[in-house]
Amino acid sequence: MVLEITSDSKNQELVRFGNYFLGILNDLKRRPEDAAKELNVSLEEIMDIINGRKEISSEIIIRAAKVWPVNLRDFYLMKDDCPDGIKIMRAEDSAKSSRIMERGGLPYYEYRDTAVSSISLFRPEWIEELCIVDDNDPNNPAVQWNNGHFMHQFTYFIGDVNYYYRGPDGQKKVAVMNTGDSVYGTPFRPHSFATRKNAKENGLILALTYGNQLAGDAQQELSVLGERLGMSYWLDFSSREKSFGSLLNFHRRCASLSFEEITKRTGIDKDRLIQFENGLEIPSFEIINSLAVSMNVNSRDLLPPDAIEDKVIVQYYKESPNWYYPESIKAYKIVELCHSKNLPFSKAFEFSILKNNDDELDLEVGLHQYAYNVGNENIQFNWRIENSVKHDDLKPGDSVYIKPNIPHSFRGGGKLMVLRIAGRIAGDAQRELSCLEQNDANRAISETSMWFDPQGKD
Amino acid sequence: MVLEITSDSKNQELVRFGNYFLGILNDLKRRPEDAAKELNVSLEEIMDIINGRKEISSEIIIRAAKVWPVNLRDFYLMKDDCPDGIKIMRAEDSAKSSRIMERGGLPYYEYRDTAVSSISLFRPEWIEELCIVDDNDPNNPAVQWNNGHFMHQFTYFIGDVNYYYRGPDGQKKVAVMNTGDSVYGTPFRPHSFATRKNAKENGLILALTYGNQLAGDAQQELSVLGERLGMSYWLDFSSREKSFGSLLNFHRRCASLSFEEITKRTGIDKDRLIQFENGLEIPSFEIINSLAVSMNVNSRDLLPPDAIEDKVIVQYYKESPNWYYPESIKAYKIVELCHSKNLPFSKAFEFSILKNNDDELDLEVGLHQYAYNVGNENIQFNWRIENSVKHDDLKPGDSVYIKPNIPHSFRGGGKLMVLRIAGRIAGDAQRELSCLEQNDANRAISETSMWFDPQGKD
């Protein structure tokens, strides 16, 4: 029975790859016979791959990447390691992944993995602070700083933890954190953590690192372009005015428009345009709209960030807004943890569960989600995948990954720390999908047909 | 000598992979010794890979994808097939790639490849229309329609070509095209082309298909999510009001905010918020800003498109704006071809080259570029890569791919058709990069250091 299920899902993967491979051929305007010729294999072999009867060999992949403008990576599909829509990691399994990291020759952190998936860019670690500090001095020599890292980091604090970081002018700072406090840290900002002396037990953090839009393909493209060409993408976002100026300049160069032509289209004279580009003035929304029209972009493409956020944002629990949700049934009391507008799709909360179990699935979010049971009670977790409603328990210390758009609910009692992130769709990709007709968006997700019908039709 | 150069670039690739592999370990909070243990190999082997002394084996890759939340595709880097910054395809080589496609049993198109690169998402084809039509009737039975395809398509017309497409209400239409006319076609819109009777020679098109933000990783994620979960991302963008309503609703659910809490934060009452979400009203920019603050996003994240574009946009050459560029030296007369604001980073032009050769590199664009010599004269092409300035000729029928941010120029005479597209950085990713300090952005591109120093430091 197990063997059948295995070959069933293996078959499904072959069929999925076959559809996808057909898409590659369509994009390259190769019929199966053209592909067979260029890849030095039989037409039968190509059709077996397309129809999910046979796995593509690495020889064919290597040949394809040689003769076509495709990369080896294009032939390996993202794997779905949670076909049920969610993936739970138990506290016991987190404990089994324990590893002690030394710094400066002494045990400094105990790391434990928590719920992850091959689909999401979460790298969430439970970390115990083994270094005890006597004071809150940011220069305490016992504190071992890291170099900062590529991933964004949201941190939730449990217990008496000091967070060491650098302020805007580079000076070392310390945030004296307690349970429920939170921090957002921009990539590459060095930091450290330690437990304060006289704490009842070692401090803990949920160090929820994750990749966002710069990860994956984008990171690959930057790596191939290299520093010189890559850094030309970096815009000066040090103030709103400079952000607007850089964006306007970037779009003007993309459009190869002369100042004269922009003046002709907008009525705004060259001196004023240069003033904008030099970061000296942000004009009214009407003028921004007029500039956008002249450049064939949307106003939103020229708009600078609403605020220039600190690179490290510390938020105290007692200052965190809270409310009941949904407003009708008040199933949760939600505390809004640390946010940064630089990442509008990153959302962090503490959920207190208030309602006994029922059939209502009151949460559905277009973001990837991670949740960790930070309380003392079991939480009933209900979710729907395809047409089935499923149930499980999240015990204290359990964590779960939830796919985007899964209808779900939490019931019983207790407390969850929840982090939501963009993944690859929210933002530009979602808008592009939404510019398609609904039927066409459906095809974008499940494209199977060849791009033309060789029989011909009307 | 050749062997040395080959092993040099092979070495460079190993070093590049080694850095990248170290990044994967850092993100997973694995030291090399942890990785060695989990991958069942020696520490020495892991260090050889990290230091670019040894190629990673497929056994290790398969094992890594089993034990870690990574995908096989994550271990294959995008290849740089144009280290010189550009890639030219000669007209003769395009001709060699010729293939005749039949439709309805008759030769219908002759396809020829043009300049491509593994770095970019261009799939640009030169296509000759072999089907001759007697009339301009959109229902002409000789015309063989395709099913539409995943890629966006920009089309540049050369000669007497009819373009067949469907209007907004689904009815078949024909656009009677001549040289210099252009069309933008949204993915999946069925279409066809044919030459008009009595043309001096068969019509030609440059069918410049390309992937945008939905390609690559985003397409993979949608495929893994499947139709039901994936389609929940699709927002109703059928009008500006509905777009705003869908975006507001999406962000409100992402933030799990009750209407009551939004009212508390913005002063806007629930009835009005529901009015917005139902697509009945777009409020002022000030109110949009207030809503954005309440949801921890930027105004630009809530702004709908400035206009709802047609799915197929036809533009006649004689109606296309034109200007000189740069305004000081007038090296080019630029004609602005068909654009769609749905793709603000897609730019299409016809460049007439006006200036004799000199040392000025007057073009630098943060987009991937494709250019095709549509004229009768050789064009001198100059560009800078690292610290070298290079030169080549683009003869009629030659095409070229140019990496983003390469300083370049065209000189001599003649005409180029130029298309620019976003790639993976322009848009959200670029803004995320620009939110980093300049030094940190540099690290994002060239990260080599381990995330902590095991010796410990202050």
Side-chain angles (χ1 to χ4, degrees):
Chain A
M1 199 53 182
V2 170
L3 208 61
E4 279 182 59
I5 290 168
T6 305
S7 68
D8 232 12
S9 58
K10 170 103 178 159
N11 280 351
Q12 269 188 4
E13 273 307 288
L14 287 182
V15 168
R16 189 162 83 96
F17 182 84
N19 287 345
Y20 175 74
F21 182 68
L22 180 60
I24 292 181
L25 299 194
N26 282 348
D27 293 345
L28 292 167
K29 299 294 180 281
R30 260 72 178 159
R31 299 157 300 179
E33 53 262 47
D34 303 308
K37 185 160 149 239
E38 291 179 285
L39 299 177
N40 284 341
V41 294
S42 67
L43 176 57
E44 187 183 11
E45 173 123 26
I46 294 296
M47 294 312 297
D48 280 344
I49 295 169
I50 287 174
N51 291 319
R53 286 190 296 263
K54 193 168 174 181
E55 188 165 1
I56 191 170
S57 68
S58 46
E59 288 77 25
I60 295 178
I61 292 174
I62 290 170
R63 175 99 185 127
K66 254 200 180 71
V67 302
W68 293 337
V70 293
N71 294 285
L72 294 172
R73 69 191 267 106
D74 298 329
F75 292 90
Y76 297 95
L77 300 189
M78 186 181 293
K79 100 188 162 221
D80 184 359
D81 65 357
C82 42
D84 258 3
I86 68 107
K87 198 147 169 273
I88 293 173
M89 186 167 190
R90 302 295 176 190
E92 314 79 80
D93 294 316
S94 293
K96 283 181 200 156
S97 74
S98 166
R99 44 211 191 284
I100 308 283
M101 303 280 186
E102 298 198 340
R103 300 276 193 280
L106 293 169
Y108 200 81
Y109 293 129
E110 178 190 349
Y111 277 80
R112 295 184 191 182
D113 294 338
T114 65
V116 281
S117 163
S118 53
I119 297 166
S120 86
L121 295 162
F122 285 116
R123 297 286 181 259
E125 295 284 327
W126 171 111
I127 308 180
E128 185 171 315
E129 280 55 61
L130 307 175
C131 170
I132 320 268
V133 288
D134 289 340
D135 56 47
N136 297 332
D137 179 1
N139 293 297
N140 187 320
V143 173
Q144 301 293 332
W145 292 66
N146 66 13
N147 298 327
H149 43 66
F150 181 80
M151 303 225 132
H152 299 267
Q153 181 161 334
F154 171 84
T155 307
Y156 178 87
F157 295 84
I158 301 169
D160 300 8
V161 180
N162 278 0
Y163 173 57
Y164 299 85
Y165 66 106
R166 287 184 184 274
D169 50 6
Q171 84 286 21
K172 288 185 174 176
K173 301 182 77 157
V174 67
V176 179
M177 305 269 89
N178 292 284
T179 301
D181 295 338
S182 56
V183 167
Y184 165 73
T186 302
F188 298 112
R189 305 280 84 209
H191 50 274
S192 190
F193 305 88
T195 298
R196 288 193 293 281
K197 186 179 74 164
N198 293 332
K200 276 185 302 222
E201 46 194 358
N202 282 342
L204 291 177
I205 60 172
L206 295 178
L208 308 181
T209 61
Y210 60 94
N212 210 56
Q213 310 295 6
L214 282 177
D217 287 343
Q219 187 181 17
Q220 293 281 324
E221 184 172 310
L222 283 175
S223 170
V224 157
L225 291 179
E227 276 185 59
R228 197 161 185 174
L229 297 179
M231 278 307 290
S232 295
Y233 273 124
W234 183 84
L235 305 174
D236 182 354
F237 268 27
S238 55
S239 70
R240 295 193 68 242
E241 291 74 15
K242 287 216 176 297
S243 305
F244 177 68
S246 320
L247 286 161
L248 188 64
N249 173 270
F250 182 82
H251 279 282
R252 178 173 63 76
R253 287 183 298 109
C254 284
S256 284
L257 282 166
S258 61
F259 285 118
E260 198 178 310
E261 181 67 13
I262 299 177
T263 300
K264 182 168 153 199
R265 297 180 182 193
T266 64
I268 304 165
D269 65 61
K270 178 174 176 172
D271 287 340
R272 193 125 187 259
L273 293 169
I274 291 175
Q275 181 109 334
F276 295 154
E277 287 201 10
N278 285 340
L280 296 170
E281 181 194 346
I282 299 177
S284 67
F285 184 66
E286 285 66 35
I287 289 183
I288 291 176
N289 186 255
S290 169
L291 287 165
V293 170
S294 79
M295 295 179 176
N296 292 300
V297 302
N298 300 286
S299 303
R300 73 177 294 269
D301 300 310
L302 291 181
L303 278 184
D306 285 1
I308 305 303
E309 300 267 46
D310 287 338
K311 301 289 183 249
V312 177
I313 302 176
V314 175
Q315 185 165 311
Y316 295 96
Y317 189 73
K318 56 188 192 297
E319 289 161 12
S320 302
N322 60 79
W323 65 95
Y324 290 100
Y325 189 84
E327 47 205 303
S328 45
I329 63 173
K330 295 185 168 37
Y332 317 105
K333 176 104 174 279
I334 299 182
V335 178
E336 188 180 274
L337 303 177
C338 191
H339 282 64
S340 169
K341 284 199 258 286
N342 290 347
L343 293 155
F345 297 101
S346 291
K347 311 285 183 191
F349 312 94
E350 194 195 73
F351 272 56
S352 290
I353 317 301
L354 303 177
K355 213 169 184 304
N356 282 334
N357 214 358
D358 62 21
D359 292 332
E360 190 86 26
L361 300 177
D362 48 30
L363 296 166
E364 189 179 323
V365 179
L367 301 171
H368 296 253
Q369 289 196 92
Y370 166 91
Y372 184 101
N373 187 338
V374 290
N376 304 316
E377 304 178 49
N378 285 359
I379 294 172
Q380 284 113 45
F381 173 43
N382 311 305
W383 75 97
R384 187 167 69 232
I385 181 74
E386 296 298 325
N387 289 318
S388 300
V389 179
K390 303 201 171 210
H391 313 275
D392 210 319
D393 278 351
L394 296 171
K395 301 181 183 58
D398 288 354
S399 51
V400 63
Y401 163 72
I402 308 171
K403 281 180 176 175
N405 300 317
I406 291 271
H408 61 287
S409 68
F410 304 107
R411 291 292 188 261
K415 244 192 253 199
L416 266 180
M417 204 254 101
V418 176
L419 177 66
R420 299 169 177 169
I421 64 174
R424 299 140 188 113
I425 310 297
D428 287 345
Q430 181 179 28
R431 285 178 180 253
E432 187 172 319
L433 183 72
S434 303
C435 287
L436 305 181
E437 301 276 6
Q438 194 167 14
N439 290 342
D440 294 339
N442 218 307
R443 282 184 68 186
I445 300 170
S446 63
E447 171 80 313
T448 54
S449 50
M450 203 149 104
W451 93 94
F452 72 92
D453 180 350
Q455 303 309 316
K457 56 181 174 46
D458 172 36
Chain B
M1 200 51 180
V2 170
L3 208 61
E4 280 183 57
I5 289 168
T6 308
S7 69
D8 232 12
S9 56
K10 169 103 181 164
N11 281 349
Q12 270 188 0
E13 273 306 289
L14 287 183
V15 169
R16 190 162 82 95
F17 182 83
N19 287 345
Y20 175 74
F21 181 68
L22 180 60
I24 292 181
L25 298 195
N26 282 349
D27 292 345
L28 292 167
K29 298 295 180 280
R30 260 72 176 159
R31 299 157 300 180
E33 52 263 48
D34 303 309
K37 185 160 148 235
E38 292 180 285
L39 299 178
N40 285 340
V41 295
S42 66
L43 176 57
E44 187 183 11
E45 173 125 26
I46 294 296
M47 294 312 298
D48 279 344
I49 294 168
I50 287 174
N51 291 320
R53 285 191 296 263
K54 193 171 175 180
E55 188 164 1
I56 190 170
S57 68
S58 45
E59 288 78 25
I60 296 179
I61 292 175
I62 290 170
R63 174 96 186 132
K66 255 201 180 71
V67 302
W68 294 337
V70 294
N71 294 285
L72 294 171
R73 70 192 266 107
D74 298 329
F75 292 91
Y76 297 94
L77 299 189
M78 185 182 294
K79 99 186 161 224
D80 184 359
D81 65 357
C82 43
D84 259 3
I86 68 110
K87 196 145 169 275
I88 292 173
M89 186 166 190
R90 301 296 176 190
E92 313 79 82
D93 294 317
S94 292
K96 284 181 199 155
S97 74
S98 167
R99 44 212 191 283
I100 307 284
M101 303 279 188
E102 297 199 342
R103 301 276 193 279
L106 294 168
Y108 200 82
Y109 293 128
E110 178 190 350
Y111 276 80
R112 295 185 189 181
D113 294 338
T114 66
V116 282
S117 163
S118 54
I119 297 166
S120 86
L121 295 161
F122 286 116
R123 298 286 181 260
E125 294 285 326
W126 170 111
I127 307 180
E128 185 171 316
E129 280 53 62
L130 307 176
C131 170
I132 319 268
V133 288
D134 288 341
D135 56 46
N136 297 333
D137 178 359
N139 292 297
N140 187 320
V143 174
Q144 301 293 334
W145 293 66
N146 66 14
N147 298 327
H149 44 65
F150 181 80
M151 304 228 129
H152 299 266
Q153 180 160 336
F154 172 84
T155 307
Y156 178 87
F157 295 85
I158 300 170
D160 301 7
V161 180
N162 278 0
Y163 173 57
Y164 299 85
Y165 66 106
R166 287 183 184 274
D169 51 5
Q171 86 286 21
K172 288 185 174 177
K173 301 183 76 159
V174 68
V176 178
M177 305 270 88
N178 293 283
T179 301
D181 294 340
S182 55
V183 167
Y184 165 72
T186 301
F188 298 112
R189 305 279 84 208
H191 50 274
S192 190
F193 304 88
T195 297
R196 289 193 293 280
K197 184 178 75 160
N198 294 332
K200 275 184 304 213
E201 46 194 359
N202 283 342
L204 291 177
I205 60 173
L206 295 179
L208 308 181
T209 60
Y210 60 94
N212 210 57
Q213 309 295 6
L214 282 177
D217 287 343
Q219 187 181 17
Q220 292 281 324
E221 183 172 312
L222 283 175
S223 171
V224 157
L225 291 179
E227 275 185 59
R228 196 159 185 177
L229 297 180
M231 278 307 290
S232 295
Y233 273 124
W234 183 85
L235 305 174
D236 182 354
F237 268 29
S238 56
S239 71
R240 294 194 67 244
E241 291 74 15
K242 288 217 176 295
S243 304
F244 176 68
S246 320
L247 286 162
L248 189 64
N249 172 270
F250 182 83
H251 279 281
R252 179 174 62 77
R253 289 183 299 109
C254 283
S256 284
L257 283 166
S258 61
F259 284 117
E260 198 177 309
E261 182 65 15
I262 299 176
T263 301
K264 183 168 152 199
R265 296 181 183 194
T266 62
I268 304 165
D269 66 61
K270 177 174 177 173
D271 287 342
R272 192 125 188 258
L273 294 169
I274 291 175
Q275 179 110 334
F276 296 154
E277 286 201 11
N278 286 340
L280 295 170
E281 180 193 348
I282 299 177
S284 67
F285 184 65
E286 285 65 36
I287 289 183
I288 291 176
N289 186 256
S290 170
L291 287 164
V293 170
S294 78
M295 296 180 176
N296 291 299
V297 303
N298 299 286
S299 303
R300 74 177 294 269
D301 300 312
L302 292 181
L303 278 184
D306 284 359
I308 304 303
E309 300 270 44
D310 287 338
K311 301 288 183 251
V312 177
I313 302 176
V314 175
Q315 184 164 313
Y316 296 96
Y317 190 73
K318 56 190 189 301
E319 288 160 12
S320 302
N322 61 80
W323 65 94
Y324 291 98
Y325 189 84
E327 47 206 301
S328 45
I329 64 172
K330 295 185 169 30
Y332 316 105
K333 175 103 174 282
I334 298 181
V335 177
E336 187 180 277
L337 304 176
C338 191
H339 282 64
S340 168
K341 284 199 258 287
N342 291 346
L343 294 154
F345 297 101
S346 292
K347 310 287 183 190
F349 312 95
E350 195 195 72
F351 272 55
S352 290
I353 317 300
L354 303 176
K355 212 168 186 303
N356 284 333
N357 214 357
D358 62 24
D359 293 332
E360 190 86 23
L361 300 177
D362 48 31
L363 295 166
E364 189 178 323
V365 179
L367 301 171
H368 296 254
Q369 286 196 95
Y370 166 92
Y372 184 101
N373 187 339
V374 290
N376 304 316
E377 304 178 51
N378 285 359
I379 295 172
Q380 283 115 46
F381 174 43
N382 311 306
W383 75 97
R384 187 168 68 231
I385 181 74
E386 295 299 325
N387 289 318
S388 301
V389 177
K390 302 199 173 211
H391 313 274
D392 210 321
D393 278 351
L394 296 170
K395 299 178 185 59
D398 288 353
S399 51
V400 63
Y401 164 72
I402 308 171
K403 281 179 175 175
N405 301 316
I406 291 271
H408 61 287
S409 68
F410 304 106
R411 292 291 188 263
K415 246 193 251 197
L416 266 181
M417 204 254 102
V418 175
L419 178 65
R420 300 168 177 168
I421 64 174
R424 302 140 185 111
I425 310 297
D428 288 344
Q430 180 178 29
R431 285 179 180 254
E432 187 172 320
L433 183 72
S434 303
C435 286
L436 305 181
E437 302 274 8
Q438 194 168 12
N439 289 342
D440 293 339
N442 218 307
R443 280 185 68 186
I445 301 172
S446 63
E447 170 80 310
T448 55
S449 49
M450 201 149 103
W451 94 94
F452 70 92
D453 180 349
Q455 305 308 316
K457 56 182 177 38
D458 174 33

